[in-house]
Amino acid sequence: AQVNQEYEIEEFLPNFIIIGGDGANELLTFKLDEPHKWAIFATPLIAMTEEDSVLLAKGFDEFLTLFSK
């Protein structure tokens, strides 16, 4: 969508899409290919590389459990 185009996500992080952010330094991203398909990552805005992205959850259900603790 528009936010993915604005951040040029296809150029810097192929096979990822942006689903949100923390309003400061990190984006929340979905990975669209294996082995982590639909996993959610925290991706730093400055580096914006797969290597610098941190796996938060293996899927959306697991991501939601992070907020129930």
Side-chain angles (χ1 to χ4, degrees):
Q2 184 176 349
V3 70
N4 290 291
Q5 291 173 346
E6 289 173 1
Y7 284 99
E8 299 176 10
I9 197 80
E10 287 183 28
E11 178 182 341
F12 296 105
L13 280 170
N15 300 312
F16 280 79
I17 58 169
I18 298 169
I19 58 170
D22 68 359
N25 301 321
E26 289 188 324
L27 299 170
L28 290 176
T29 55
F30 268 136
K31 186 161 169 83
L32 301 176
D33 62 354
E34 302 298 337
H36 297 292
K37 189 168 187 171
W38 299 115
I40 298 173
F41 288 80
T43 301
L45 275 171
I46 295 173
M48 215 160 41
T49 66
E50 185 169 352
E51 293 77 23
D52 291 315
S53 297
V54 176
L55 178 65
L56 298 177
K58 294 178 183 174
F60 196 70
D61 290 341
E62 184 178 321
F63 180 71
L64 292 177
T65 64
L66 297 174
F67 299 100
S68 65
K69 296 180 180 181

